[in-house]
Amino acid sequence: MDIQLRKATLADLDGIMEVEVQSFTLPWSREAFYNEFVVNHFAVYFVLEDKERIIGYCGVWLVVDEAHITNIAVLPEYRGQKLGELLLRSMMEFASESGAKSMTLEVRVSNTIAQSLYKKLGFFEGGIRKNYYSDNQEDALVMWVNL
């Protein structure tokens, strides 16, 4: 593997969509990501590449002194190699350097693997969003970390 981490651009949209569709039961639309890059000036995305193939990405909205992780995903065949941790640590560092004092995210209550990563990086449970996910009305656990 020849893994590279870099800030994403609109040209990365196809690769991000591949990761998105393979990772989530409710993937964001291409239009939603397009708007993140073109319209939403609060949004910043990083991608992970292996030999120029996008294998993972992470997005954040930076609003005043708070960072909100929108999505983080790694292609299934690349999971279990600490690449999600690399993405999230890098985004946490970027957000802190950009003036964020805290970071938040939502995660499915059933996604204990992701929750373990977040706890490892200092996130704590902050509440529940009832029926957050529209595919099955699963609750989301809201997690926070001070940067």
Side-chain angles (χ1 to χ4, degrees):
M1 283 195 310
D2 179 26
I3 304 296
Q4 304 294 321
L5 173 75
R6 64 172 174 78
K7 198 170 178 180
T9 69
L10 185 58
D12 297 316
L13 193 51
D14 288 341
I16 290 171
M17 284 306 303
E18 178 185 354
V19 175
E20 179 75 4
V21 168
Q22 289 192 45
S23 298
F24 298 109
T25 57
L26 283 175
W28 280 19
S29 68
R30 184 178 188 83
E31 180 182 4
F33 280 107
Y34 178 85
N35 286 331
E36 288 289 277
F37 284 100
V38 176
V39 178
N40 185 354
H41 44 68
F42 298 112
V44 176
Y45 283 77
F46 286 171
V47 291
L48 278 177
E49 290 181 313
D50 182 17
K51 299 179 185 83
E52 299 184 18
R53 178 186 183 202
I54 293 176
I55 61 166
Y57 78 92
C58 182
V60 68
W61 293 340
L62 294 168
V63 182
V64 190
D65 63 350
E66 188 176 297
H68 183 108
I69 296 292
T70 56
N71 280 336
I72 182 169
V74 174
L75 284 173
E77 64 265 35
Y78 286 87
R79 292 181 189 157
Q81 300 176 51
K82 299 193 182 287
L83 298 174
E85 181 176 341
L86 172 63
L87 271 169
L88 189 53
R89 281 186 189 277
S90 299
M91 190 59 82
M92 290 170 73
E93 184 178 318
F94 173 80
S96 178
E97 290 171 356
S98 298
K101 304 287 185 226
S102 63
M103 179 176 276
T104 187
L105 54 78
E106 292 91 10
V107 59
R108 287 180 184 268
V109 294
S110 64
N111 192 346
T112 55
I113 293 172
Q115 290 173 36
S116 293
L117 168 62
Y118 304 149
K119 288 175 183 174
K120 176 182 179 180
L121 297 182
F123 282 80
F124 57 90
E125 298 177 13
I128 296 285
R129 294 197 200 283
K130 288 289 197 188
N131 306 313
Y132 186 77
Y133 296 97
S134 61
D135 62 334
N136 64 357
Q137 281 62 57
E138 184 173 357
D139 296 344
L141 179 61
V142 181
M143 301 185 78
W144 289 88
V145 67
N146 294 317
L147 297 175

